Amino acid sequence: MELKKQKSKQMHQRYDVLIAIGMLSAAISILLHKPILFAGIGLLVTYIVLVLLYEKYYGNYLYLEIEKDKLFLFPEDDDIIAITFYNKGKFTLKNGYFFFTIDEEVQVEDGKYQLDERGLTHKVPLTLPANSKITLHLSIKGNKRGITQLANMRYVFFNPFSFTTITLQAQGYWRQEIVVFPNQTPITRMDRLFTNQTGNIALPFALMHDEMDIAGTREHHFSDAMQHIHWKTSAKNQQLHTKVFEHNTDMRWTVLVNASTSSKLNNLYLSKQIDTYLSIISSISMQAIRQDIQIGVWFNLGKPVQLKTNHGTGQHHLKRLLHLFASIDHSYSIVQMNTILHQINQQIDEHHVILYIGELNQIVRHYLSTWEVRNKKEIYVLSNEDNHFVLRNHAEVSSNE
């Protein structure tokens, strides 16, 4: 990325004034027959030429390069940003400063900064010898969840002839970004999710079975449940037959997040608890991936496409989830929760275990109860009890209210 000089209108106006003064002085000296005034005019012209030559030739052919396109951090994690400067010019740039802005998601260690119209601007002293390659190492620490990047990068050095500064501004757009993932918030009673549950991978010796995946039928035994009788086959053979299900143990979790809160006028806003929710979901996701459990997350947010991820597992899927959690901010629009609930209801067979996080209202309770009773789904609701987050079965929560 090249750094080019910014043209200063004020400086050019100043030079125009000096040239005008010189021309006026020359005219006066001719009219008044005062040749001594030409000495002052010569000094003025010499000064202007030196200033223009310095500005023209100093600071050319300066480039910078950032080693990594992406950095991933958790809050309180440390890392290094390596910025390499290539001064391919013939002059040394002494006693200059490298300026850049960065948001509060990260903290630059041992750096001087100020708040101006550009944002939080950092200032690093830097001298660049002629025909040199200098690498600047910035120590950063994750501060809070979010995505940021180095912006408004520029190198500023002093012009000794005009007693002003020359600014070299970075050109183009640098695709580098710093991602700070959410913290993990511990959740009580998470262990209940790791028991053998209905899943979607058939295993011959699994303890559990999927009632939506029928492998065949057999003769009915006295100990068989009545709801497992295959009535069509029984009528055809004039003898009771019981459904045989595929055995499986693979679990599939769907985390359903109500990221909104409603006002007294029923207007929807991004919840003030969104950072807490994301820390909880981050913890759930990491535990699911450790157990090789497929997990997908649905938000009632859009930008403008609804924010959700398909079920998946593995480190790549986890990184994608954490990156998504880091990106959520107030720029996302709120989607009505009943729209999301209806979408899930249309494909409820794909969701084995549902974890609900956020405000509960009458519509949400209706859907959760229906999935739990009619569709035989495992439904869990996050509960805040004395500042401890507990995962409770929905039926247990409903019976206590």
Side-chain angles (χ1 to χ4, degrees):
M1 178 182 288
E2 186 176 4
L3 289 88
K4 290 187 177 181
K5 294 173 187 172
Q6 282 187 318
K7 295 182 179 180
S8 174
K9 292 183 179 179
Q10 292 182 345
M11 284 301 302
H12 285 289
Q13 290 173 357
R14 188 182 301 176
Y15 299 150
D16 291 342
V17 170
L18 291 175
I19 292 172
I21 291 173
M23 293 176 65
L24 181 62
S25 300
I28 292 173
S29 64
I30 293 173
L31 291 173
L32 299 179
H33 302 286
K34 299 286 186 178
I36 194 170
L37 291 177
F38 281 102
I41 296 171
L43 291 174
L44 182 61
V45 171
T46 302
Y47 168 74
I48 294 174
V49 169
L50 286 174
V51 170
L52 293 176
L53 287 175
Y54 190 91
E55 289 194 356
K56 181 177 181 180
Y57 292 105
Y58 268 74
N60 294 335
Y61 311 112
L62 181 62
Y63 304 86
L64 69 80
E65 184 179 84
I66 301 178
E67 182 179 325
K68 298 179 181 178
D69 288 341
K70 292 183 183 291
L71 285 178
F72 300 100
L73 303 169
F74 285 97
E76 302 302 321
D77 281 356
D78 299 315
D79 208 332
I80 300 291
I81 300 178
I83 306 175
T84 302
F85 293 85
Y86 299 89
N87 182 10
K88 298 183 179 181
K90 297 180 180 180
F91 301 99
T92 296
L93 306 178
K94 292 185 178 180
N95 303 321
Y97 291 92
F98 175 58
F99 290 88
F100 63 92
T101 59
I102 196 167
D103 294 329
E104 296 179 350
E105 282 79 6
V106 297
Q107 177 182 345
V108 180
E109 303 289 344
D110 302 324
K112 296 181 179 180
Y113 61 88
Q114 61 187 25
L115 189 62
D116 56 23
E117 68 278 0
R118 298 173 184 255
L120 201 62
T121 301
H122 293 261
K123 176 181 178 182
V124 181
L126 185 64
T127 293
L128 300 171
N131 295 309
S132 66
K133 172 185 173 182
I134 301 294
T135 300
L136 175 67
H137 293 92
L138 296 177
S139 298
I140 63 169
K141 177 185 285 187
N143 189 34
K144 64 178 185 178
R145 178 192 65 82
I147 299 177
T148 186
Q149 62 179 183
L150 299 180
N152 298 315
M153 293 181 286
R154 58 199 184 276
Y155 182 75
V156 179
F157 60 97
F158 184 67
N159 185 339
F161 296 103
S162 64
F163 304 102
T164 59
T165 57
I166 297 175
T167 300
L168 306 178
Q169 185 75 39
Q171 304 297 306
Y173 176 73
W174 191 262
R175 299 182 66 87
Q176 178 263 355
E177 66 177 9
I178 305 167
V179 182
V180 182
F181 296 144
N183 267 321
Q184 279 74 59
T185 298
I187 305 168
T188 306
R189 300 180 73 178
M190 271 290 292
D191 56 324
R192 58 168 54 191
L193 290 174
F194 298 110
T195 57
N196 286 323
Q197 305 244 9
T198 301
N200 65 348
I201 293 180
L203 298 173
F205 303 108
L207 298 177
M208 308 302 290
H209 57 258
D210 186 353
E211 295 186 7
M212 304 302 298
D213 191 1
I214 302 174
T217 62
R218 59 169 173 79
E219 291 186 5
H220 178 74
H221 299 299
F222 179 76
S223 59
D224 293 337
M226 290 291 293
Q227 64 265 28
H228 292 164
I229 294 176
H230 197 293
W231 294 107
K232 186 175 181 179
T233 303
S234 299
K236 183 179 179 180
N237 294 292
Q238 298 297 309
Q239 186 179 3
L240 289 178
H241 277 69
T242 298
K243 300 173 186 175
V244 177
F245 305 104
E246 287 285 6
H247 289 269
N248 47 60
T249 58
D250 177 60
M251 291 180 280
R252 178 178 288 186
W253 294 357
T254 300
V255 182
L256 180 55
V257 186
N258 184 356
S260 64
T261 185
S262 57
S263 66
K264 294 180 179 179
L265 299 176
N266 291 324
N267 295 320
L268 295 178
Y269 302 95
L270 190 66
S271 174
K272 294 180 179 179
Q273 299 293 320
I274 186 62
D275 285 313
T276 302
Y277 293 164
L278 292 171
S279 294
I280 292 168
I281 305 164
S282 176
S283 179
I284 292 172
S285 300
M286 294 188 76
Q287 293 196 49
I289 298 302
R290 289 193 196 104
Q291 299 290 332
D292 198 25
I293 296 170
Q294 294 191 45
I295 183 169
V297 183
W298 290 52
F299 292 89
N300 63 327
L301 298 173
K303 199 181 181 181
V305 180
Q306 183 201 334
L307 197 62
K308 67 177 181 179
T309 63
N310 294 325
H311 291 94
T313 189
Q315 292 300 317
H316 179 74
H317 185 66
L318 176 62
K319 199 170 188 178
R320 181 184 171 211
L321 287 173
L322 294 177
H323 191 284
L324 178 68
F325 302 157
S327 71
I328 293 175
D329 56 26
H330 287 275
S331 65
Y332 282 89
S333 59
I334 305 294
V335 180
Q336 290 287 344
M337 199 62 205
N338 57 343
T339 302
I340 309 302
L341 294 168
H342 177 72
Q343 291 177 8
I344 292 182
N345 192 60
Q346 294 294 104
Q347 45 183 283
I348 190 62
D349 292 341
E350 298 179 12
H351 306 276
H352 297 166
V353 178
I354 297 176
L355 290 71
Y356 180 85
I357 297 173
E359 290 185 0
L360 285 166
N361 56 42
Q362 187 175 357
I363 296 176
V364 173
R365 292 181 188 278
H366 168 73
Y367 274 97
L368 296 183
S369 298
T370 301
W371 297 336
E372 192 169 40
V373 176
R374 183 183 302 172
N375 301 104
K376 309 298 181 183
K377 301 297 178 181
E378 291 287 334
I379 310 293
Y380 295 91
V381 176
L382 189 74
S383 175
N384 188 351
E385 301 176 7
D386 298 325
N387 294 323
H388 293 284
F389 293 97
V390 181
L391 207 59
R392 296 197 177 277
N393 189 281
H394 177 251
E396 178 184 348
V397 174
S398 301
S399 62
N400 293 333
E401 295 180 350

